[in-house]
Structure formats: structure tokens, C-alpha cells
Amino acid sequence: MNADKVPDIIISRLPIYLRALQRMSEKGMKTTSSQELGEHVGISAAQIRKDISQFGEFGKQGTGYSIQFLIDKLREILKVNRMWDVVVVGVGAMGHALARYPGFLNRGFRVAMIFDVDPSKVGQKVGDFTIEDASQLVDCVRSAKIKVAMVTVPASAAQEVTDKLVQAGVKAILNYAPTSVNVPSHVHVQYIDPSTHLQRMTFYLD
Amino acid sequence: MNADKVPDIIISRLPIYLRALQRMSEKGMKTTSSQELGEHVGISAAQIRKDISQFGEFGKQGTGYSIQFLIDKLREILKVNRMWDVVVVGVGAMGHALARYPGFLNRGFRVAMIFDVDPSKVGQKVGDFTIEDASQLVDCVRSAKIKVAMVTVPASAAQEVTDKLVQAGVKAILNYAPTSVNVPSHVHVQYIDPSTHLQRMTFYLD
């Protein structure tokens, strides 16, 4: 399978399927259908079958999908059948919340290091972590071979932090700063900004 | 302009343009071009012109866009030229962070009420807010005519909370719980789940 050939819109749905399947599995379910999965995630059964068939024949006519088999396949496809260390940069309220976030468990990620630029925060503990000095960011992240980062700094600092992460070898950045950042084409960025998410919905309200 | 006729993918980009224009304005800039805006947000100039032209002729050949004029138009289109009260349900670390989040300022939203189901949290203060009892959620939200909500409860409680919000008249829900929820077709849901955002990127990593 060539990653370049699968449309990004399909990739964006796979984590949603995986999440729903993991919840089904936690509830003790063993098999499901594209119809049932579709009802859970609000996506049509036909779309789900089409998306999943991009990667092979994982279901059986009549009996549907083995949940555990499909979980294993999706984890392999999304490369979360391993554990990715994640660096958090910026330890405000959001950075605190992410450093202690239970929702990474069993999803392929663990926070490994947290950094802040504020001397009064450096050395303090957040859960199991000691806040590291952001001036050491490039060296520490490079030495630890960390490829995934979450950035929770103010908008004004986001580009500089992003540049440092790229310099350190980070390839995937989840940006919580309310601003777009520029990265080289080999680096991936996703954005989480509650205001833009909310504005996408208010458009439709009266 | 008929909201139903504009593709959702275009609507999803408008808040990104608005955010970039607001940052340009804060820096004292008065005019911009689709080229320059495109460099800020990582979207082609042609796409930006096409998206914006859905709503009218806002730029002038040769002189580009007046930043303030375009901000005003986008705020009007996205209906954030008013202030939306927002209810937060679930006051864990993420709910705390959102209750005190400075990034809603000037974006059209303000947190108005926060709720939790835990009796030991009810009555406690978070910033300027007193945590309200989730058993009062439907009545309070309906009385206050709140239409926008952020849900930061565990996955297992997300559907029940969502149902209550819908019952109370909420029309737009930003769901931080790591699970899909079902809503009637007149209610909009957006999802923020750092794990799914990260998994969309690890697909592309080695």
C-alpha cells in the first residue's frame, strides 16, 4: 500500500473507525457490520466499506468484520501498533491538561517530555513530569528521537516553537496555538482551536 | 446567501482566514492579498479567492482586500459578529482549561456556565464560575437560551450529556469526549480528540 495514493479524507476517517471499534471491544463485542459501525460514527455503511477496502479485504460477506482483527489492521495502517513518544511545549492550563490526559492510553501515544520557556515553571512537576527548559528543546527532542509534538504556546510564539521542533526532527505537530504555522512539506500539522471549530458550526445557526 | 448551498469544506476554511486576518490586523496591517493570506494559512491564493467569492465581491483587482472589511464580512458570514454564550459540561482538567481559555476573546464566544455531575465539585469556583450541578443542566441551559456547548466528560457519559443538551435546545456541540455521539440532523457536532488528530499524522510517518 502506498500512503501517497490514499486520499487524506479517507485517512482522516480511519481513526474515527478505530476509536469506535475499540469502544465496541471494551463493551465485549466480537463482530460488527459496516451498518452498525456506521450508526456509531455517523458515516454511511457504503462509505465505510469503501474506505476500508482501500487497504484489503477485511470483512466477510454475511458475517461482517471481526472487531479485534479490524482494530489490529487499523492500528497497523495508522502506525499506532507501536507507542509514539510525544513532547508537549507550553505548560499553561491546556499543556497541564494534556500532560495528564488519560485519553492517550491505548491509542498509540504517551507524553514523554514537557517544556516551557518560563523560568518560574522550569523544574516544577506536572503529574510524573518535570517541566524542562525550552532552551534545551532542540537538543533534548533530537536526542530522544521524538517525532511527535503538541504545541500549546500563545499564538505569538507558535512559529518559533514549530521551527525548533522541525529542527529537532519532529515530523508531526498538533498545534493548539490559535494561529497557522508554516512547516516544510515533510512535516505534518494538525490544528486544534476550539474557536475555529465553533465558528464552523455557528455559520449554520440562526 | 443560502447556507445550504455553500459546501461545508468551504465553511471549514473561513474561520482559518478570519483568524489569520485578525492576527494581521493586530499587527497593524491594513490590506492584504489572497497570495499573502495564502502564505499565512497554507492554502493557495486561487482557492482563497474562490472561497471568498462565494459570498460576494470583497476584493479589488490590484489593491487586494481591506483587512478590516474582510474581517467584518467573515464575522457576519460566520455569525460571530455577536457573542455566543457557551456551556461547558464536565470540569476535569480539560474543562478547567476551557473555562479559563483566553482564546475565545474576540472570536465570538464566552463561557457562560459550567456543569459537573460530581457532588464534590458542584459549588466550587473555577475562575469566575461556580460549578453547577449537572442535574440542573437542561433547565438552566434552556432558561439561559444557550445554543452552544463544549462537552468534556468521559466517553461513557458523552451520549447522555449530548442528549440532555439537545433537549435543552443546544444546536452546536464541540465534543472533547473521545467517542462519536448521535444527534438529530438540526444539531451540529464537531470533535476535538488529540489521539485521532495525531493518528491522522502517524499514518504518514516511517
Side-chain angles (χ1 to χ4, degrees), chain A residues 112-168:
Chain A
M113 286 183 191
I114 60 177
F115 288 87
D116 202 284
V117 73
D118 180 351
S120 72
K121 290 183 183 171
V122 172
Q124 284 188 14
K125 286 284 216 180
V126 176
D128 297 336
F129 303 101
T130 303
I131 301 176
E132 310 278 347
D133 186 339
S135 69
Q136 305 300 309
L137 179 67
V138 176
D139 287 345
C140 289
V141 170
R142 187 185 282 143
S143 301
K145 296 186 167 59
I146 293 177
K147 301 298 172 198
V148 181
M150 296 191 288
V151 174
T152 60
V153 300
S156 56
Q159 187 63 56
E160 188 189 336
V161 165
T162 300
D163 292 345
K164 283 186 180 174
L165 289 168
V166 170
Q167 194 189 335

Side-chain angles (χ1 to χ4, degrees), chain B residues 33-110:
Chain B
S33 62
S34 50
Q35 185 69 39
E36 185 178 51
L37 180 56
E39 283 162 16
H40 277 271
V41 298
I43 295 172
S44 77
Q47 184 70 65
I48 290 174
R49 285 196 299 273
K50 199 175 155 194
D51 287 352
I52 291 175
S53 70
Q54 296 273 329
F55 304 94
E57 279 301 323
F58 300 151
K60 282 187 195 147
Q61 195 72 36
T63 57
Y65 298 105
S66 154
I67 289 173
Q68 191 55 54
F69 181 77
L70 198 48
I71 287 173
D72 291 343
K73 282 292 168 190
L74 286 171
R75 285 167 53 95
E76 191 183 320
I77 292 164
L78 294 169
K79 304 204 180 79
V80 290
N81 54 347
R82 71 189 83 170
M83 186 66 81
W84 295 89
D85 283 337
V86 180
V87 55
V88 175
V89 189
V91 194
M94 195 60 71
H96 262 96
L98 287 174
R100 293 175 298 176
Y101 182 61
F104 294 126
L105 198 71
N106 211 20
R107 309 282 298 276
F109 306 98
R110 70 177 160 218

Side-chain angles (χ1 to χ4, degrees), chain B residues 128-139:
Chain B
D128 296 337
F129 303 101
T130 303
I131 302 176
E132 310 278 348
D133 186 339
S135 69
Q136 305 300 310
L137 180 65
V138 176
D139 287 344

Side-chain angles (χ1 to χ4, degrees), chain A residues 49-77:
Chain A
R49 285 195 299 272
K50 199 175 156 194
D51 287 351
I52 291 175
S53 70
Q54 295 274 329
F55 304 94
E57 279 302 322
F58 300 152
K60 282 187 196 147
Q61 195 73 34
T63 58
Y65 298 105
S66 153
I67 289 174
Q68 190 56 53
F69 180 76
L70 198 48
I71 287 173
D72 291 344
K73 282 294 169 189
L74 286 171
R75 284 167 54 94
E76 190 183 319
I77 291 164

Side-chain angles (χ1 to χ4, degrees), chain B residues 89 117 134-135 137-138 151 153-167 173 179-182:
Chain B
V89 189
V117 73
S135 69
L137 180 65
V138 176
V151 174
V153 301
S156 56
Q159 186 62 56
E160 188 189 336
V161 165
T162 300
D163 292 345
K164 283 187 181 175
L165 290 168
V166 170
Q167 194 189 337
I173 298 172
T179 183
S180 300
V181 291
N182 295 118

